[in-house]
Amino acid sequence: MSRLLCLFAVALAIAASACVSAQATGDPNGPALEPPAPPPHTIIPVEIVEEPIAPPSGAAPTPVIVRPMARPPAPPPEKPAEKPAEKAEPVAAAPTPPAAAAPPLQTTVNVTEVERAIRARMTQASRDLDRTDYRALTAERRAQYDTAKRFIQQADDALKVKNLVFAEQLADKAATLAAALAQK
């Protein structure tokens, strides 16, 4: 029992000493720090020398004016020589385009053909997606399926506003994704 009492006393002494924490002693404000003296300022004088303004010599230079090249005037339309003896009925002549006119911008020859090709691409993509079983797809392939559906919808919207280039790109992307999904 005495051993037990000794062990208990030692454990109590160790526990009591653990509760005591060390505290710093000293002046909490501490000694004031003195900043060092600033370095001496050296001022170096700078002399600004102004050059005398030279008087203008002679006439001022003439400014150069650059003008864009002008088109040569179009030749006047040729009038057929009328014979005073014969009075022919006036014939409406086809207007001749000016010789220096710029060629028209290259555009799609037949917009309806392009629209038809885009719609064919969209229907092919829709058919491929219809053949695909959505429930059997993995999460990644389902995301591709949904993306292809959105591409088809966006291509249709682009066709409505006649943005053929964007519609064609979207239809191609949808068809590519749908073909990849239909293969597996």
Side-chain angles (χ1 to χ4, degrees), residues 111-131:
V111 175
T112 56
E113 286 181 23
V114 175
E115 282 185 30
R116 190 176 307 125
I118 292 171
R119 290 209 185 273
R121 209 63 180 138
M122 290 167 51
T123 55
Q124 179 63 38
S126 293
R127 270 190 252 125
D128 287 345
L129 289 177
D130 289 341
R131 288 186 299 155

Side-chain angles (χ1 to χ4, degrees), residues 11-26:
L12 186 62
I14 291 174
S17 67
C19 292
V20 176
S21 63
Q23 294 183 2
T25 58

Side-chain angles (χ1 to χ4, degrees), residues 40-44:
H41 294 285
T42 307
I43 299 175
I44 301 173

